[in-house]
């Protein structure tokens, strides 16, 4: 987690550690199944074990890390069946949110999506996996939040949280980043044309490509 301590810290030590752990998981620095060495991590981030333990408990509650008695904390691993189930549920929920968002499309939504997409593309060009994952999430949630259904958005966010550790595996490949950029652009074009069904179809394809790629990665591992 090099360079972590130079970034501006959130207001509390626990929030700082939580943000750093999320970044490490999202970027692939901490991979699924990898051990989280608390003493090393606390020293590197210059914090005590107390905020570190609290941050780990928060991530455990979200399903991002798991605790094994006598062994410690590890980044959560998902089976292929788990991943496929999560993406199937996402498809159901996101279709409802996106279809509703496309029909109501609050003022400024397209501009916000375009701005975020430029961040996605800059990160993709730079090969910055963590930045692309973060910008990608902002892109998708700008769209689903436009549905005006906050409870549905929270359910979708929970599913996204469960697979954060795997997003970096997908974006690690140049070809996958290029595909994601192309699909985002297609989503934007469909939205601009007012075509809700085309928007949904492009997002279905977007998820399907990610699942297919992760299926190959997990088979290799």
């Amino acid at each position: 987690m090099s360079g972590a301590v130079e970034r501006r810290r959130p207001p509390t030590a626990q929030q700082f550690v939580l943000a750093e752990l999320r970044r490490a998981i999202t970027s692939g620095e901490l991979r699924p199944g990898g051990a989280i060495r608390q003493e090393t991590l606390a020293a590197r981030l210059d914090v005590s074990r107390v905020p570190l333990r609290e941050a780990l408990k928060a991530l455990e509650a979200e399903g991002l890390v798991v605790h094994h008695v006598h062994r410690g904390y590890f980044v959560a691993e998902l089976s292929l069946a788990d991943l496929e189930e999560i993406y199937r549920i996402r498809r159901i929920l996101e279709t409802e949110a996106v279809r509703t968002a496309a029909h109501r499309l609050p003022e400024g939504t397209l501009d916000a999506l375009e701005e975020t997409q430029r961040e996605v593309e800059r990160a993709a060009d730079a090969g910055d996996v963590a930045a692309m994952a973060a910008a990608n999430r902002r892109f998708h949630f700008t769209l689903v939040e436009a549905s005006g259904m906050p409870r549905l958005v929270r359910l979708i966010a929970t599913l996204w949280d469960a697979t954060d550790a795997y997003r970096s595996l997908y974006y690690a490949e140049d070809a996958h980043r290029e595909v994601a950029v192309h699909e985002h652009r297609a989503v934007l074009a469909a939205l601009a044309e007012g075509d809700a069904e085309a928007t949904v179809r492009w997002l279905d394809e977007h998820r399907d490509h990610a699942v297919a790629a992760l299926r190959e990665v997990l088979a290799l591992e």
Side-chain angles (χ1 to χ4, degrees):
M1 298 176 66
S2 58
V5 294
E6 283 79 13
R7 274 184 286 276
R8 184 178 178 182
R9 294 193 179 199
T12 70
Q14 180 185 337
Q15 289 172 325
F16 166 65
V17 175
L18 191 57
E20 286 302 318
L21 284 170
R22 286 187 188 283
R23 183 198 61 76
I25 290 170
T26 303
S27 69
E29 188 175 329
L30 291 174
R31 294 173 67 85
I36 299 173
R37 307 298 181 190
Q38 292 189 53
E39 290 185 7
T40 302
L41 186 57
R44 189 174 298 175
L45 298 180
D46 192 25
V47 296
S48 72
R49 294 285 291 276
V50 174
L52 178 56
R53 283 196 299 269
E54 292 303 314
L56 286 169
K57 287 177 182 177
L59 291 175
E60 184 181 20
E62 295 174 13
L64 281 179
V65 304
V66 294
H67 183 262
H68 297 299
V69 178
H70 305 309
R71 294 179 60 207
Y73 283 94
F74 294 78
V75 180
E77 285 186 284
L78 294 175
S79 67
L80 179 58
D82 289 332
L83 277 168
E84 290 180 336
E85 181 181 4
I86 288 169
Y87 272 81
R88 285 180 66 186
I89 299 169
R90 272 187 54 191
R91 180 175 185 143
I92 295 167
L93 299 183
E94 289 178 18
T95 293
E96 179 65 22
V98 169
R99 189 174 281 136
T100 302
H103 284 305
R104 67 192 298 267
L105 206 61
E107 186 176 353
T109 300
L110 280 174
D111 289 341
L113 285 166
E114 178 62 41
E115 181 179 350
T116 305
Q117 177 58 15
R118 287 195 291 270
E119 295 176 13
V120 170
E121 291 171 7
R122 284 194 293 271
D125 290 343
D128 189 335
V129 172
M132 183 169 179
N136 174 73
R137 183 172 182 130
R138 288 194 295 274
F139 179 91
H140 284 271
F141 278 87
T142 296
L143 179 52
V144 298
E145 286 168 2
S147 67
M149 294 187 284
R151 291 178 178 81
L152 180 56
V153 173
R154 287 196 294 272
L155 289 172
I156 293 170
T158 299
L159 296 170
W160 274 69
D161 290 342
T163 56
D164 264 349
Y166 289 83
R167 211 150 283 121
S168 62
L169 300 180
Y170 181 59
Y171 289 139
E173 297 291 332
D174 292 347
H176 295 162
R177 294 196 298 273
E178 290 172 8
V179 167
V181 165
H182 168 71
E183 289 163 348
H184 280 198
R185 281 292 165 194
V187 167
L188 279 170
L191 275 174
E193 292 169 4
D195 192 337
E197 296 313 308
T199 303
V200 168
R201 284 196 302 273
W202 274 111
L203 286 166
D204 286 346
E205 188 168 327
H206 189 48
R207 283 188 297 273
D208 288 346
H209 282 157
V211 171
L214 288 171
R215 188 179 293 120
E216 292 181 8
V217 169
L218 293 178
L220 290 173
E221 295 189 349

